[in-house]
Amino acid sequence: MSENTFMKRAAALALEKMRADQGGPFGAVIVRTGEIIAEGWNQVTSTNDPTAHAEIVAIRHACAALGVFNLQGCDIYTSCEPCPMCLGAIYWARLHRLYFANTRADAAKIGFDDEFIYREIATEIGTRSIPSQQMKSTAAQQAFREWMESPNKIRY
């Protein structure tokens, strides 16, 4: 299969699942060695899960299918440039390459504007829109100490 075939599938998922009222117009496929490993589509409104974006759903399905917690050697094809959350997940999943169709500017034009999140990430914690403050916790510090000392930890 060609790269164009994978992008066509991501776009077809977006259209099909949007028409079925399963969520917004977004689709994604994860590919390894020329084979689709997993598919995902936006399920935010159909599952009442604000994190159920197409890329996140595809990543979850791919990891489950392969029995791994990273997707090194896999590519992701998305119908739209990923939002900040999905982009972060793509990096955490260690995907090899990202292909996208529509841009984030295209998404903003139809009501999916993530620009404020991009700005918030670059803003100092004390001046972000959602008030945030550190609360020291001895238990949280203990968990970090034990992680550092554990010979059984699995790095990711």
Side-chain angles (χ1 to χ4, degrees):
M1 287 192 197
S2 73
E3 293 171 352
N4 194 38
T5 302
F6 302 132
M7 184 57 74
K8 283 181 181 177
R9 180 61 186 149
L13 279 168
L15 193 58
E16 173 190 338
K17 302 304 182 176
M18 178 202 63
R19 287 176 175 166
D21 292 325
Q22 292 189 14
F26 305 97
V29 296
I30 295 180
V31 175
R32 183 175 72 175
T33 60
E35 178 184 343
I36 294 177
I37 301 300
E39 299 180 337
W41 53 90
N42 183 283
Q43 298 175 32
V44 170
T45 56
S46 61
T47 63
N48 295 317
D49 179 354
T51 68
H53 290 199
E55 299 90 338
I56 301 292
V57 172
I59 288 168
R60 289 174 181 162
H61 289 162
C63 288
L66 297 174
V68 298
F69 58 82
N70 76 56
L71 298 170
Q72 291 175 337
C74 296
D75 298 331
I76 187 166
Y77 294 77
T78 71
S79 63
C80 187
E81 181 179 357
C83 74
M85 175 184 69
C86 293
L87 186 60
I90 287 166
Y91 276 92
W92 275 112
R94 308 292 193 264
L95 284 154
H96 178 252
R97 188 171 286 122
L98 160 68
Y99 298 93
F100 61 91
N102 296 315
T103 67
R104 69 191 213 201
D106 296 328
K109 289 176 188 171
I110 64 163
F112 295 93
D113 190 353
D114 298 321
E115 194 56 40
F116 79 99
I117 300 173
Y118 284 100
R119 284 193 309 271
E120 284 286 293
I121 290 169
T123 301
E124 291 294 322
I125 290 174
T127 59
R128 290 183 179 161
S129 297
I130 297 177
S132 305
Q133 71 179 56
Q134 181 182 16
M135 295 179 64
K136 296 276 187 176
S137 166
T138 55
Q141 291 172 341
Q142 180 66 27
F144 273 27
R145 275 193 300 276
E146 287 185 24
W147 172 261
M148 284 297 299
E149 296 166 2
S150 174
N152 300 323
K153 66 181 163 242
I154 299 172
R155 295 191 181 273
Y156 57 95

